[in-house]
Amino acid sequence: MVSLFSEQERYNSLVEASPMPTAIYVGEDMVVSAANQAMLDLWGKPASILGTKLMDALPELEGQPFFEILSHVFRSGETYHTKESPADLVVDGILQTFYFTFTYKPIKNDQGEIFAIINTAAHLTELVNAKKQIIETQQRLSFALSSAEIGTWDLDPIHEHIILDEKCKAIYGFPQDATIKYGTILSCIHPMDVELVRDAMANAINGYNGGQYDIKHRTNSQVNGQIRWVHCKGKAYFNEDNIAYRFSGIVQDITADVKARQREHQLLTLINQNADHMTIATLEGKVIYMNEASRKMLGIPLDADVREFSAKDFYTPQELNRVQNHIIKEIDEVKGWTGHITLLNYQTKENIPCMVNYLLIKDLETGEVIGRGATARDLRPEIKVKADLQKLAAIIGSSEDFCNYCDIDGHIQYINPSGIALIGVNENQIRSYSLFDYHSESSNEKIKNEIFPILFTDGKWSGELELIHQVTKEIIPIHKQFYMIREEFTNTPVAIAAIARDLRPELNIRQTLADKNLAMQNAVQELEFLANSVPPVVWSSKPDGYLDYINKRWFEQTGKSDEETLGSRWVENVHPDDVHHAIKTWNSSLQTGNPYEIEFRSLDKFGTYRWYLVRAIPLNDSDGNIIKWYGTNTDIHHQKELEKQKDDFLGIASHELKTPVTSLKAYAQVVESMFKRSGDFKNADLLGRMNKQVDRLSNLINDLLDVTKINSGRLQFNETEFDFNEMVEEVIEDVQRTSFKHLIHPELSFKKKIVGDRDRICQVVTNLLTNAVKYSPDANEVVINTLDLGDRVQVSVRDYGIGISPDLKDHVFEQFYRISGDKRHTFPGLGLGLYISSEIVKRFGGKIWVDSVEGKGSTFCFSIPVNQ
């Protein structure tokens, strides 16, 4: 007994600790020995029922199966479990039905005897009621969907499993007992809509537009091939990984609505696209409807509400009175009324002549006339066409081409004056002629067997034929075009029109051009022969600089074919050290149109680089645009070697002369001093003159040394910052000391310092001043000025001497150039000063030039950057 009590206490403790409603019933009388608060709350009973029989504690269970179940569990020892089982309990004084999932489990003592039953329960009333509501809602929804011809579908995108309800299967054309797969659904989509549906489903499943799916498409029934229009709406549901696990929605058959809208759209489109003016109005003239053609004709905006208008807006007062008081009364109920009226454009007030048909509109139920309809055709185009036809007849009559038309059997109906003159027919006998009377026999065969069949099928033909002059019988070549004219409504052929052009002038021109082309071909052959006969390489290029011709001399010199040279491949033969300069100079000529002249080395067929003088000039059209470049490559390798030998000789000679001349000058100065000290001034004067000649010789040697340095690229520059004005003034002072006849006038407006080689720039200014003095023997002044050009300084030296002829100006800066003619020996020197000066200026990035008038003097100028 003690053991049983202890066992029961242990179970009672478990009951109290259980989170679920739990109770223990002891003995066959089912005494409630323990029940936790959750169970008491579930029963709606106080704790005072503990220790009483379950039958007494819950008398409302009488007649319900629970006592029998408990008795069976107690006797058999089998556990009983049930889900969502109903039970009627009195809670708050009211008998109510609740739903529980509960278990009755027998409890045994140490001897294996059942002494009690433990009862656990879960209160599921709210869940069961919710399920009932869901089922009822689904039933109501199913009824509503069925009534609205709407089906439902539910898709598992992950496993591609789909469920369709009966209505959905019917809409898609599936048998009711069919097992539907995901792929089967796509197979019944109309082929033209498959991609549209795929994209819409993919967008929903991939989360676009919030997973919403809304699309209209066509289906193809697999049972009877019927095409239906459906409207599908749905939504995709996503798990925590943002993967769609469910995609469900509805489908509605909208075939009837679509067809109705299509019919309505087709009808409205037909009316709106009708070229005729169409309106509906009340008998009083209030506008009800107006199609697009009517709006455009009458000047009413397409978006305007036509109900705001009435007949008075589109008629003059006189025409409105005629329509309302006469025409409306004359409308036949069956045939209507047809005739001419004049409408009025609402905006422009232009009168519009029209052909109108009025009809009466009746109420379908009462037969009462409720309005009038009208269709109107704008007659302005027809009036214009008639006017145009009159103009066309005048044009054809004055045309220089042969124009005519005939019936489909070839009988002539009309020939214009030019045609009459071309074939020499009598104007009064035109209608007695046939098409075949004035064509040559071969042309008639072609017209019958080839042209007529084409005209009856294609409606037109063009080509060359022959006419016969009816008086002279001359064969006249022509180019003729035939056109089939058909009746407007039946499309029946009624006439043939033709236009012909006399080809004799054109053939004469063709022959002349052929003769000229032949002459040109002969000339081209002669020029090509000439180009291949001259020693230099002759070439031409397009305006963009790409070579398109090169003579055979190139192949003889380089061994390379045209394909290996034309275009821009000629550069491959240029010496690597000369390529950049050659291309840069060529591009400059292409951009400016200036002649191209350069010396560079090119590879010959023996692998040796030879020097060439390359020149090219542009050929321009009448507008000055370059259309071609013509050039030559002249081999100057031998001259270059001679120049090098000359430069080497000059360099060596001038260098070797420098030392003895320097010594000679020193000796002359010493002896001159000795004579002066001894009082022999006559001999001292002679030695002074010899000293000046030694200075001249020293200057000539220095010029020769500078030339050799320039040609060999060894001319040195030492750049410093110096006062340019101060340097010019020093040069003026030095030159003025040697010239007593000429007065040098300075006009110096440049007042800055520059960066450059002071001595070399001084050398340039000195050369220009000494030349100005030398070449103006009959003048007594020289003018030098400087100008500030911002980033450049310009120096100009003007003399009033012999001047230079225009054809010689470009040569004065060349090596060893001196004035020729009667005064050749008048002016001493080697002709190197200006060459050296021009090279110095060029090395400083400047330019040098001369402006001169023969017999009046010259102005030599140069400009250089302020900062090198």
Side-chain angles (χ1 to χ4, degrees), residues 391-596:
K391 294 178 184 177
L392 181 60
I395 292 172
I396 292 174
S398 61
S399 172
E400 295 181 359
D401 289 335
F402 177 108
C403 301
N404 78 295
Y405 70 89
C406 61
D407 62 25
I408 59 174
D409 296 320
H411 298 111
I412 298 300
Q413 305 296 314
Y414 170 80
I415 299 179
N416 70 339
S418 295
I420 291 172
L422 182 63
I423 61 175
V425 298
N426 188 319
E427 183 176 359
N428 297 322
Q429 298 176 344
I430 288 175
R431 298 182 72 87
S432 65
Y433 276 85
S434 167
L435 180 69
F436 305 104
D437 291 335
Y438 52 81
H439 284 89
S440 68
E441 186 176 345
S442 61
S443 293
N444 285 334
E445 289 295 322
K446 191 171 187 177
I447 292 171
K448 293 175 183 177
N449 300 324
E450 178 185 335
I451 298 175
F452 269 23
I454 293 175
L455 280 175
F456 279 92
T457 56
D458 298 343
K460 60 183 178 179
W461 178 92
S462 66
E464 294 187 2
L465 294 173
E466 294 175 336
L467 296 176
I468 299 177
H469 194 281
Q470 298 301 292
V471 178
T472 66
K473 304 304 178 183
E474 177 188 2
I475 300 294
I476 304 171
I478 60 169
H479 183 276
K480 196 163 189 177
Q481 295 173 298
F482 286 98
Y483 300 93
M484 179 64 75
I485 300 173
R486 297 179 179 272
E487 200 274 327
E488 181 179 3
F489 298 105
T490 63
N491 205 34
T492 303
V494 293
I496 298 172
I499 301 174
R501 185 177 77 253
D502 187 351
L503 291 179
R504 288 176 296 180
E506 186 175 323
L507 292 175
N508 291 335
I509 293 174
R510 289 181 189 175
Q511 185 60 45
T512 302
L513 289 176
D515 294 340
K516 288 183 178 179
N517 286 336
L518 180 60
M520 186 176 293
Q521 290 175 6
N522 293 334
V524 169
Q525 291 175 354
E526 291 175 5
L527 289 174
E528 188 170 354
F529 174 78
L530 179 62
N532 288 324
S533 301
V534 297
V537 173
V538 178
W539 52 270
S540 66
S541 87
K542 300 175 182 178
D544 59 7
Y546 282 83
L547 269 63
D548 57 3
Y549 169 78
I550 196 162
N551 70 346
K552 293 181 179 178
R553 198 67 63 213
W554 172 263
F555 175 75
E556 294 171 0
Q557 292 181 3
T558 66
K560 289 193 174 183
S561 65
D562 290 355
E563 291 76 12
E564 296 174 290
T565 306
L566 297 182
S568 60
R569 294 195 63 184
W570 61 273
V571 178
E572 298 171 8
N573 265 48
V574 180
H575 192 285
D577 294 342
D578 301 337
V579 167
H580 176 73
H581 185 50
I583 294 176
K584 181 180 178 182
T585 307
W586 182 224
N587 287 335
S588 176
S589 293
L590 293 175
Q591 293 171 6
T592 62
N594 295 329
Y596 178 60

Side-chain angles (χ1 to χ4, degrees), residues 803-812 850 852-854:
I804 307 168
S805 62
D807 57 329
L808 297 179
K809 284 199 305 181
D810 294 336
H811 298 286
V812 296
V850 60
S852 183
V853 178
E854 192 171 12

Side-chain angles (χ1 to χ4, degrees), residues 177-432:
D177 57 350
T179 301
I180 311 302
K181 296 182 179 180
Y182 176 65
T184 310
I185 289 290
L186 293 177
S187 68
C188 70
I189 305 296
H190 193 280
M192 294 180 66
D193 297 339
V194 169
E195 288 302 318
L196 183 68
V197 173
R198 283 183 183 275
D199 291 344
M201 293 180 68
N203 288 337
I205 292 174
N206 290 329
Y208 299 120
N209 302 321
Q212 297 294 329
Y213 175 70
D214 189 341
I215 188 172
K216 295 176 182 178
H217 65 85
R218 289 162 289 183
T219 66
N220 260 341
S221 173
Q222 294 187 343
V223 177
N224 54 21
Q226 181 182 3
I227 296 177
R228 294 172 181 261
W229 275 95
V230 297
H231 185 185
C232 292
K233 283 188 175 183
K235 179 176 174 58
Y237 301 89
F238 301 89
N239 58 24
E240 295 177 353
D241 298 324
N242 204 31
I243 296 174
Y245 65 88
R246 185 183 181 192
F247 182 39
S248 60
I250 62 170
V251 57
Q252 183 178 15
D253 186 344
I254 58 171
T255 304
D257 292 343
V258 170
K259 287 184 177 180
R261 285 197 299 270
Q262 286 177 341
R263 287 192 295 270
E264 181 181 348
H265 177 72
Q266 290 167 353
L267 180 59
L268 288 176
T269 300
L270 178 64
I271 294 173
N272 270 324
Q273 297 303 317
N274 195 306
D276 288 343
H277 155 109
M278 301 181 72
T279 59
I280 299 174
T282 64
L283 288 175
E284 293 76 23
K286 190 73 174 177
V287 178
I288 298 173
Y289 171 79
M290 184 181 289
N291 69 348
E292 290 186 12
S294 179
R295 288 172 181 260
K296 292 177 181 178
M297 183 175 74
L298 298 177
I300 303 301
L302 296 179
D303 57 351
D305 186 354
V306 297
R307 292 172 297 181
E308 297 177 358
F309 299 90
S310 64
K312 64 181 177 62
D313 296 313
F314 308 113
Y315 296 99
T316 63
Q318 298 80 0
E319 195 73 344
L320 179 63
N321 177 65
R322 175 173 167 246
V323 171
Q324 292 289 81
N325 298 322
H326 300 282
I327 294 177
I328 296 299
K329 297 177 180 179
E330 296 173 8
I331 298 176
D332 185 274
E333 292 189 2
V334 177
K335 298 179 180 180
W337 183 91
T338 300
H340 291 86
I341 65 167
T342 300
L343 294 172
L344 195 67
N345 185 286
Y346 180 74
Q347 294 183 352
T348 66
K349 306 306 178 184
E350 177 188 1
N351 287 323
I352 306 170
C354 296
M355 174 63 73
V356 176
N357 178 257
Y358 285 113
L359 295 172
L360 294 177
I361 300 174
K362 296 182 179 181
D363 188 302
L364 293 178
E365 295 182 359
T366 64
E368 180 185 356
V369 175
I370 57 175
R372 68 172 188 260
T375 60
R377 186 174 79 253
D378 188 348
L379 295 179
R380 288 176 298 178
E382 294 181 18
I383 295 171
K384 183 178 182 300
V385 167
K386 288 180 180 179
D388 290 343
L389 285 174
Q390 292 174 349
K391 294 178 184 177
L392 181 60
I395 292 172
I396 292 174
S398 61
S399 172
E400 295 181 359
D401 289 335
F402 177 108
C403 301
N404 78 295
Y405 70 89
C406 61
D407 62 25
I408 59 174
D409 296 320
H411 298 111
I412 298 300
Q413 305 296 314
Y414 170 80
I415 299 179
N416 70 339
S418 295
I420 291 172
L422 182 63
I423 61 175
V425 298
N426 188 319
E427 183 176 359
N428 297 322
Q429 298 176 344
I430 288 175
R431 298 182 72 87
S432 65

Side-chain angles (χ1 to χ4, degrees), residues 616-864:
I617 58 173
L619 175 64
N620 300 316
D621 60 17
S622 58
D623 296 325
N625 300 313
I626 297 175
I627 58 176
K628 201 81 169 175
W629 285 86
Y630 293 97
T632 60
N633 295 7
T634 304
D635 190 332
I636 59 169
H637 193 73
H638 183 64
Q639 293 93 312
K640 277 287 187 180
E641 289 183 337
L642 291 177
E643 285 182 12
K644 185 176 185 302
Q645 293 173 8
K646 178 197 70 176
D647 291 340
D648 292 343
F649 169 76
L650 289 176
I652 294 170
S654 58
H655 184 74
E656 292 300 324
L657 289 172
K658 189 75 172 175
T659 301
V661 168
T662 302
S663 299
L664 183 62
K665 179 177 176 62
Y667 294 147
Q669 288 175 341
V670 171
V671 175
E672 182 184 3
S673 298
M674 290 172 61
F675 276 125
K676 285 181 178 181
R677 284 195 299 269
S678 65
D680 190 350
F681 293 103
K682 181 178 180 180
N683 286 324
D685 182 58
L686 291 174
L687 285 171
R689 293 182 182 181
M690 184 181 76
N691 191 37
K692 289 182 179 180
Q693 294 303 317
V694 171
D695 286 339
R696 285 189 62 221
L697 180 59
S698 181
N699 288 335
L700 292 175
I701 292 171
N702 286 334
D703 284 349
L704 288 173
L705 282 173
D706 282 345
V707 169
T708 57
K709 290 177 182 178
I710 289 170
N711 291 339
S712 62
R714 293 183 289 105
L715 191 64
Q716 298 288 331
F717 292 96
N718 299 309
E719 294 184 358
T720 59
E721 185 179 57
F722 64 94
D723 189 309
F724 190 84
N725 215 39
E726 181 183 284
M727 179 273 297
V728 173
E729 289 175 344
E730 288 180 7
V731 174
I732 294 172
E733 183 179 351
D734 291 342
V735 175
Q736 188 69 75
R737 287 176 183 173
T738 64
S739 177
F740 302 104
K741 180 180 179 181
H742 294 79
L743 182 62
I744 302 174
H745 295 288
E747 297 176 358
L748 310 179
S749 60
F750 185 81
K751 307 292 184 182
K752 298 179 182 177
K753 291 185 177 182
I754 74 166
V755 176
D757 190 319
R758 190 181 192 278
D759 292 337
R760 290 296 182 186
I761 298 172
C762 178
Q763 183 179 352
V764 174
V765 178
T766 301
N767 278 337
L768 296 185
L769 279 176
T770 55
N771 276 356
V773 171
K774 181 193 302 184
Y775 291 103
S776 57
D778 299 327
N780 57 12
E781 65 173 331
V782 172
V783 179
I784 179 171
N785 65 57
T786 59
L787 292 176
D788 188 345
L789 302 180
D791 61 343
R792 304 178 74 84
V793 56
Q794 178 175 306
V795 178
S796 301
V797 177
R798 181 181 180 185
D799 65 61
Y800 300 92
I802 63 174
I804 307 168
S805 62
D807 57 329
L808 297 179
K809 284 199 305 181
D810 294 336
H811 298 286
V812 296
F813 297 106
E814 296 176 358
Q815 286 188 47
F816 303 110
Y817 179 80
R818 296 176 64 214
I819 293 178
S820 60
D822 296 338
K823 298 183 179 181
R824 179 192 310 221
H825 303 294
T826 304
F827 307 105
L830 296 176
L832 295 175
L834 288 178
Y835 169 70
I836 294 170
S837 297
S838 68
E839 290 298 318
I840 291 173
V841 170
K842 290 177 183 177
R843 300 294 174 90
F844 282 125
K847 62 178 181 176
I848 188 168
W849 68 95
V850 60
D851 296 320
S852 183
V853 178
E854 192 171 12
K856 293 187 177 181
S858 304
T859 302
F860 282 83
C861 308
F862 74 90
S863 68
I864 56 174

